Each structure stands twice: as structure tokens, then as C-alpha cells.
């Protein structure tokens, strides 16, 4: 879909579509200053092609995707390109975020994600202790290794049942790839969103930085926001358990985010965490990894690493309260 919003001088163009099981939207500004830009239809086709390439490489829901073929392999001796266009940056980012979040982000959790009913496998009975232990044997960032051969990055599985699930940072990566397409085509004022992960650069039609509202879980359906922040060449990603979850037979709420340490869906009072970072891949991964850690550890780590984070926390008696790191507070000044 393409829409135009015409003001006195600038023209805001909005492109939208579907990708990665979610929707995307791209807003960009044509300031009518003579800078050559492609037709909206041409740009949308380029964006759709790029996002399809990311999907074809990284989606576990596409059996023929590159990552699915790796997951289907049982070879622990050979090296193979992990994802042709995404390495080495993507996997290096995953390793970096895993270290920063003290293991909170783990892209090897796919076997457990599937077991708990949040992956492409048909949902069955919830795993018992024996099944959880069996699947957990293939989990861990030490279950694969990367090797650089010239310009190529290769991956070797160190456990035959290793199942990589890249969904925790794939949307952020898609945002970055979309932003790169815009930059390549001389578009410098834009806002990209895929499934709630965003990157903004330049100015909107009013000449101001793009401002983004962070949703408050208990009023999500009403569309109200808790706080707004500017995105001037920055990315914002949010992770929470109030949108995607199951309820088991006993009424227990099961989050789609798995704790790598317990091998169980997370259970704590942190409702959501939003992270502002230099790109959407990093923001997306950090939001997932820090969310796993919970309120206290996430905020402590954010202060240590100078990370801009905003937390929405459930109160025991009901309702919510918020906290933010020092770096996030500076964004509001």
C-alpha cells in the first residue's frame, strides 16, 4: 500500500506491507529540493524484495529457508554459510548481545521454543522434565562456531540437534536492511517499522525528529501511550509478554520468551522493556535479552553498560509502574 500526505513543501510518503508474520510501514519525506528519488512503487518493490530475501534466509517457518536447511542438517563436521547475505554481522551481533545480556539472548533456543508451542512445530502437549532435558541438550551458544574464510563466514554445528531460531533479532535486522535500501536511494528522512521495531532518521514533515510512543500494556487496545521519545538516527525495540502467550490447562500464563537458564517460559513482574540503540538489530536483541533477566538485573546491567532502557513493571496489587535508565532519561531532555 502507498499513501501520500502533501504539505506546503514536503511530501510524506507511506509504504506498507506484510513480512515476517507481521506488518511493516515505511514513512519518508520528499522535501522537493531536487534530490532524485525513485517512484514509491519502485521503492516498495525494492523493500519487498529485500525483506523477502531476509525471510528466505532466516525464517524457521519456511522449510526451504537457509536457516531451516541448517537446522535440518545433522552434520557436526562440515562448515556451511549460515545465511548468505546476513553474515557475518548478524551472527556476530547475536554473540555480542549474548555476552552483554549475560546469556539472556540465545539464538539456539529453537528446540525449546518449538516444545513450548511458539515455533513452527504443531503445538502438542507441554514438555515434561524429560522432554525439556532432551531438547535442552542441544541449546547453548557453545553449540555452534563461526569460522572466517576469506570474505565468507561459515558455521559448524557442534550438536546434531542444534536448532537456530533467529526471530529474537530478525525483525530488527529487517528494519536495518530496509533503512539501508532507503539510504542507497538517497532518502535521508524516514521512519521504518516492522512489528513494533523501529528506526528513525532525519526529520518528519513538520521538520522535527520522528517521535515514537511506547505502549502501556493495560491500555494497548485503547492505543494510548505511556511516553514518547525522539528517534534521530536511533532505533527502538520493545519486548514483552503481554501480546504473545499461551494459557495452560491450569490457567498458568506461558510467555513466548524462553529463559535459557531455566529452559522454561519466563515468569516475572516485568511486563515490557524498550531499548534505544544505534541500530534495530542491537535494540531488538537487547530488548529480548534484558527482558529475560527481569526488572532488577536488567536495570542494573543497563546502568553498567550505559544502555537506554524503559521498563514497565506489574504491581503485585495490580496495575503498573515504570522505571528508566540514566541513558534513557537523557533522551527525554
Amino acid at each position: 500500500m502507498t499513501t501520500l500526505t502533501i504539505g506546503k513543501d514536503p511530501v510524506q510518503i507511506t509504504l506498507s506491507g506484510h513480512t515476517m508474520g507481521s506488518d511493516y510501514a515505511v514513512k519518508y519525506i520528499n522535501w522537493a529540493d531536487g534530490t532524485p528519488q525513485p517512484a514509491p512503487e519502485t521503492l516498495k518493490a525494492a523493500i519487498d524484495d529485500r525483506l523477502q530475501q531476509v525471510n528466505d534466509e532466516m525464517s524457521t517457518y519456511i522449510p526451504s529457508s537457509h536457516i531451516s536447511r541448517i537446522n535440518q542438517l545433522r552434520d557436526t563436521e562440515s562448515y556451511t554459510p549460515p545465511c548468505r547475505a546476513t553474515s557475518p554481522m548478524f551472527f556476530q551481533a547475536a554473540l555480542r548481545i549474548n555476552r552483554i545480556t549475560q546469556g539472556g539472548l540465545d539464538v539456539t533456543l529453537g528446540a525449546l521454543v518449538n516444545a513450548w508451542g511458539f515455533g513452527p512445530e504443531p503445538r502438542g502437549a507441554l514438555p515434561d522434565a524429560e522432554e525439556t532435558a532432551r531438547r535442552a541438550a542441544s541449546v547453548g551458544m557453545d553449540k555452534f562456531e563461526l569460522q572466517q574464510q576469506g570474505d565468507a563466514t561459515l558455521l559448524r554445528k557442534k550438536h546434531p540437534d542444534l536448532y537456530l531460531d533467529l526471530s529474537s533479532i530478525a525483525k530488527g535486522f529487517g528494519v536495518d536492511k530496509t533503512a539501508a535500501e532507503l539510504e542507497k536511494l538517497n532518502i535521508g528522512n524516514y521512519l521504518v517499522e516492522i512489528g513494533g521495531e523501529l528506526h528513525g532518521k532525519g526529520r518528519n514533515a513538520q521538520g522535527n525528529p520522528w517521535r515514537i510512543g511506547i505502549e502501556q500494556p493495560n491500555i494497548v487496545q485503547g492505543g494510548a501511550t505511556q511516553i514518547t521519545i525522539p528517534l534521530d538516527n536511533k532505533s527502538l525495540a520493545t519486548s514483552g509478554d503481554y501480546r504473545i502467550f499461551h494459557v495452560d490447562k491450569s490457567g498458568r500464563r506461558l510467555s513466548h520468551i524462553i529463559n535459557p537458564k531455566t529452559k522454561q517460559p519466563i515468569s516475572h513482574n516485568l511486563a515490557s522493556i524498550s531499548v534505544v540503540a544505534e541500530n534495530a538489530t542491537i535494540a531488538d536483541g537487547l530488548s529480548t535479552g534484558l527482558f529475560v533477566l527481569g526488572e532488577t538485573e536488567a536495570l542494573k546491567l543497563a546502568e553498567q553498560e550505559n544502555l537506554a532502557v524503559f521498563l514497565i513493571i506489574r504491581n503485585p496489587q495490580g496495575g503498573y509502574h515504570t522505571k528508566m535508565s540514566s541513558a534513557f532519561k537523557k533522551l527525554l531532555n
Side-chain angles (χ1 to χ4, degrees), residues 254-284:
L254 302 176
S255 169
H256 72 291
I257 299 177
I258 308 299
N259 188 325
K261 293 182 180 179
T262 67
K263 312 301 188 283
Q264 307 278 327
I266 59 170
S267 178
H268 51 48
N269 64 341
L270 184 57
S272 74
I273 183 167
S274 298
V275 179
V276 178
E278 65 269 23
N279 64 58
T281 303
I282 297 298
D284 200 3

Side-chain angles (χ1 to χ4, degrees), residues 13-224:
I13 302 172
T14 303
L15 309 175
S16 60
H18 189 73
T19 187
M20 303 182 194
S22 186
D23 295 322
Y24 79 79
V26 176
K27 298 178 181 179
Y28 68 98
I29 306 300
N30 184 343
W31 289 98
D33 59 359
T35 302
Q37 291 184 346
E41 294 76 12
T42 301
L43 179 57
K44 185 179 187 307
I47 291 171
D48 286 340
D49 286 347
R50 193 66 187 89
L51 290 175
Q52 185 60 52
Q53 183 183 20
V54 173
N55 247 331
D56 289 343
E57 293 181 355
M58 301 171 63
S59 175
T60 56
Y61 286 85
I62 301 176
S64 61
S65 74
H66 202 67
I67 204 66
S68 290
R69 293 200 300 270
I70 289 176
N71 288 336
Q72 294 157 15
L73 288 175
R74 295 296 177 265
D75 184 358
T76 60
E77 299 297 328
S78 303
Y79 286 86
T80 182
C83 285
R84 290 179 296 276
T86 62
S87 359
M89 189 273 281
F90 184 90
F91 280 89
Q92 289 174 348
L95 290 166
R96 173 190 168 195
I97 299 168
N98 175 265
R99 290 191 294 269
I100 292 174
T101 61
Q102 301 174 354
L105 177 82
D106 191 328
V107 297
T108 71
L109 284 168
L112 288 169
V113 171
N114 289 333
W116 286 100
F118 294 103
E121 289 185 9
R123 190 189 309 177
L126 295 179
D128 57 17
E130 182 179 353
E131 177 66 6
T132 298
R134 184 185 72 80
R135 296 202 181 214
S138 65
V139 170
M141 298 293 278
D142 61 342
K143 298 299 191 296
F144 72 91
E145 67 178 12
L146 299 178
Q147 183 180 89
Q148 198 70 27
Q149 292 187 3
D151 295 333
T153 299
L154 304 179
L155 179 146
R156 179 172 73 89
K157 297 174 72 167
K158 299 172 72 173
H159 191 289
D161 295 327
L162 170 68
Y163 191 106
L164 293 165
D165 184 339
L166 311 180
S167 59
S168 55
I169 47 180
K171 288 186 177 68
F173 189 77
V175 168
D176 290 335
K177 288 299 181 182
T178 301
E181 288 293 322
L182 296 172
E183 296 282 350
K184 186 169 64 176
L185 295 169
N186 298 317
I187 296 171
N189 299 281
Y190 57 82
L191 179 68
V192 178
E193 177 186 5
I194 299 178
E197 323 302 1
L198 304 104
H199 184 80
K201 185 179 178 183
R203 299 292 185 265
N204 60 22
Q206 290 72 45
N208 301 314
W210 303 93
R211 297 191 68 87
I212 303 302
I214 298 174
E215 291 178 330
Q216 181 172 317
N218 59 340
I219 51 176
V220 164
Q221 292 183 348

